[in-house]
Amino acid sequence: MLKRKAYERLLNWKRNRNGQTALLIEGARRVGKSTLAEEFGKSEYRSVITIDFSLVSKEFKELFSDLRTDLDEFFRYLSAIYQTPLYPRDSLIIFDEIQSFPTAREFIKRLVSDGRFDYIETGSLLSIKQNIEDILIPSEEESFRLNPLDFEEFLWALNEKNLSDLLNEHFLSMRPLPDVLHKRAMRRFREYMLIGGMPHVVNEYLSTHSFEAADFEKRQILDLYRKDIGRFAKGYQDKVISIIDEIPSQLSTHEKRFKVSSLATNARMRNYEEAFFWLSDAQITNACFASTDPSIGLNLSRTKSSLKCYMADTGLLTTLALSTGMVTSEDIYRNVLLGKIAINEGMLTENIVAQSLVAKGEKLFFYSQTDTKNNKKRMEIDFLLVRPFQDAGNKPRVCPVEVKSTDRYTLASLDRFSETFGAKVGYEIVLHPKQIKQEGKRFYLPLYMAHLI
């Protein structure tokens, strides 16, 4: 199994809650929820039962209604069906694909109150109307989002833990890596940009060392997403599909904002809001909203009418961008990796930074100001964060983040932003392919440190 940071999250839940809550692992399809839960159960409990509600029979589901008030009988039947003994306070029961049977999710309240065993639920599309209507969401349920592997986890998978540890050390000390290690880290980062962090894809790459084989697995995932859209996005599936297909070209523009007008004649954002929500809820995409007032309350000035739409996994975006036939060849991937084929890497690097921030639990915001009469007043800041600022007594300040995919760039927007908003602005971060350095409150970090900011 690939080492996941989320495993520690599960351990803390087991130790601290001691059966008082069930844990719901949310995430996109194929992000590794079931594997994580099952490996955790095998390692940390005497026995584990996994109920996959996408596969069980109608007769099995009837147990949840027929034996609602007789848990002794319910557990005896469950143990017999799965041929697995259950041990009080030392067995884990996993409700896999819980969205396929919402009644079981409601039943969690009764099971947790009983207290004999621990429960983990896994699911996708958990806020979609048809998956929550007519049930009471249990207050005994706590949840967290499982994301694709971040760059550090990708390095662990490649047996590069020493390099990963060095990145952490040099980030904290603001020291540049030796050039040979900087080049190695950048190459690994570019591999990650092309492969992405979906566990099955990473495992395929590890076993075959083939970009083409990994590309095939990514296409399988994208096909699965399209089938889910057909099943669950009833009434607006065409809009959802059109958004996905348009993401690469939208992110290839200079501003990277999603222009709904490109989808259809007279299209308006209000007509597509539900489609964007569906994609975010399915965790296929990460939405980044414009903040009109860059202060510590970024969400207070969020506008839904202007957004960027990133793919939740950059590897899937790479496949969408390079897709011209049934499969993208190994030669194309290798030439992109080595920089021999020019593609819009600004699209990929900004997407991967968005992915890294979401993995850290950040909500995504950007800032944009246009002025058709005076170009000197125009500003585009890729991301806005809120961080403690040492020069303000560690009080929170807005932290603008600019992403640069090449060695040659300008920082006119960042300079204007800092000058315009003055004391509201704390640390400034530039992510670029070059070495780490600091100039006052402005930090220049190599792209491979995006997961550390």
Side-chain angles (χ1 to χ4, degrees), residues 361-378:
E362 299 282 353
K363 292 183 178 180
L364 301 180
F365 299 95
F366 71 98
Y367 181 78
S368 176
Q369 176 178 294
T370 59
D371 192 321
T372 56
K373 296 181 180 179
N374 188 349
N375 283 340
K376 291 184 178 180
K377 291 185 178 181
R378 292 181 61 184

Side-chain angles (χ1 to χ4, degrees), residues 160-320:
E160 290 273 25
K161 188 177 185 306
N162 289 339
L163 179 59
S164 171
D165 291 343
L166 279 173
L167 299 189
N168 281 275
E169 292 172 16
H170 282 251
F171 173 78
L172 293 173
S173 63
M174 285 300 295
R175 292 180 296 122
L177 286 169
D179 284 342
V180 64
L181 288 177
H182 170 72
K183 291 178 181 178
R184 180 168 159 185
M186 279 303 304
R187 181 183 173 91
R188 289 304 197 192
F189 182 81
R190 290 177 66 81
E191 275 183 88
Y192 175 60
M193 185 171 68
L194 298 177
I195 294 297
M198 300 302 279
H200 196 70
V201 177
V202 174
N203 276 323
E204 184 66 21
Y205 182 65
L206 292 176
S207 62
T208 65
H209 303 289
S210 167
F211 286 105
E212 187 172 321
D215 183 80
F216 176 81
E217 295 300 328
K218 287 186 286 178
R219 288 168 186 260
Q220 295 294 103
I221 293 172
L222 290 169
D223 285 345
L224 178 64
Y225 288 171
R226 291 176 187 274
K227 291 175 183 175
D228 282 345
I229 292 167
R231 286 182 60 199
F232 294 104
K234 299 295 185 182
Y236 48 93
Q237 58 263 43
D238 290 344
K239 292 180 179 179
V240 176
I241 290 291
S242 65
I243 290 172
I244 288 181
D245 290 339
E246 190 67 14
I247 287 174
S249 62
Q250 294 288 325
L251 291 179
S252 293
T253 65
H254 175 70
E255 294 178 345
K256 297 181 175 59
R257 280 176 290 174
F258 202 103
K259 295 181 180 178
V260 177
S261 58
S262 66
L263 299 175
T265 305
N266 300 321
R268 297 290 183 270
M269 180 59 76
R270 64 178 176 270
N271 299 324
Y272 281 81
E273 281 184 353
E274 196 169 17
F276 279 108
F277 165 77
W278 193 96
L279 285 166
S280 292
D281 186 81
Q283 297 178 28
I284 294 172
T285 64
N286 293 322
C288 181
F289 293 96
S291 179
T292 57
D293 178 20
S295 61
I296 59 173
L298 293 171
N299 205 42
L300 298 175
S301 63
R302 186 186 80 166
T303 172
K304 292 184 179 180
S305 61
S306 182
L307 61 80
K308 300 178 185 180
C309 188
Y310 300 104
M311 289 294 291
D313 180 71
T314 307
L316 297 181
L317 175 62
T318 300
T319 290
L320 283 174

Side-chain angles (χ1 to χ4, degrees), residues 87-107:
Y87 306 96
R89 302 305 320 132
D90 204 11
S91 288
L92 175 69
I93 299 175
I94 300 171
F95 286 1
D96 197 23
E97 302 290 356
I98 193 70
Q99 78 280 354
S100 297
F101 188 49
T103 300
R105 187 178 180 190
E106 187 176 39
F107 195 37

Side-chain angles (χ1 to χ4, degrees), residues 371-389:
D371 192 321
T372 56
K373 296 181 180 179
N374 188 349
N375 283 340
K376 291 184 178 180
K377 291 185 178 181
R378 292 181 61 184
M379 284 182 273
E380 288 285 338
I381 303 298
D382 297 326
F383 300 102
L384 298 176
L385 305 176
V386 175
R387 294 287 187 271
F389 184 41

Side-chain angles (χ1 to χ4, degrees), residues 3-158:
K3 183 180 177 182
R4 303 299 303 268
K5 295 177 182 179
Y7 194 95
E8 191 66 29
R9 173 72 173 81
L10 271 62
L11 276 177
N12 290 335
W13 164 76
K14 182 177 188 291
R15 293 166 182 163
N16 298 332
R17 296 295 185 264
N18 195 31
Q20 295 176 351
T21 64
L23 184 63
L24 172 63
I25 306 175
E26 300 182 66
R29 297 259 263 154
R30 296 293 181 88
V31 81
K33 303 181 297 296
S34 303
T35 300
L36 175 65
E38 289 175 357
E39 289 297 328
F40 178 72
K42 292 174 184 176
S43 300
E44 307 298 334
Y45 292 85
R46 191 174 174 186
S47 71
V48 57
I49 289 176
T50 299
I51 305 170
D52 185 343
F53 286 108
S54 68
L55 300 176
V56 296
S57 67
K58 178 183 177 182
E59 290 75 18
F60 179 89
K61 291 179 180 179
E62 288 174 353
L63 294 177
F64 285 81
S65 55
D66 296 345
L67 299 176
R68 179 174 288 272
T69 58
D70 190 350
L71 291 185
D72 290 338
E73 198 76 352
F74 175 81
F75 291 131
R76 276 196 291 270
Y77 286 167
L78 196 63
S79 181
I81 291 169
Y82 286 92
Q83 300 180 12
T84 301
L86 289 169
Y87 306 96
R89 302 305 320 132
D90 204 11
S91 288
L92 175 69
I93 299 175
I94 300 171
F95 286 1
D96 197 23
E97 302 290 356
I98 193 70
Q99 78 280 354
S100 297
F101 188 49
T103 300
R105 187 178 180 190
E106 187 176 39
F107 195 37
I108 281 291
K109 181 179 182 68
R110 179 87 170 84
L111 295 173
V112 170
S113 178
D114 172 74
R116 267 176 272 187
F117 311 112
D118 284 354
Y119 302 90
I120 289 180
E121 306 160 89
T122 75
S124 308
L125 300 166
L126 292 165
S127 297
I128 300 301
K129 183 178 179 181
Q130 60 260 43
N131 289 334
I132 59 174
E133 61 184 355
D134 301 326
I135 71 164
L136 181 66
I137 304 300
S139 58
E140 294 79 5
E141 176 187 275
E142 58 180 281
S143 66
F144 79 97
R145 172 174 172 171
L146 183 65
N147 296 289
L149 276 72
D150 68 12
F151 182 53
E152 187 170 31
E153 291 171 314
F154 183 75
L155 288 177
W156 294 344
L158 295 180

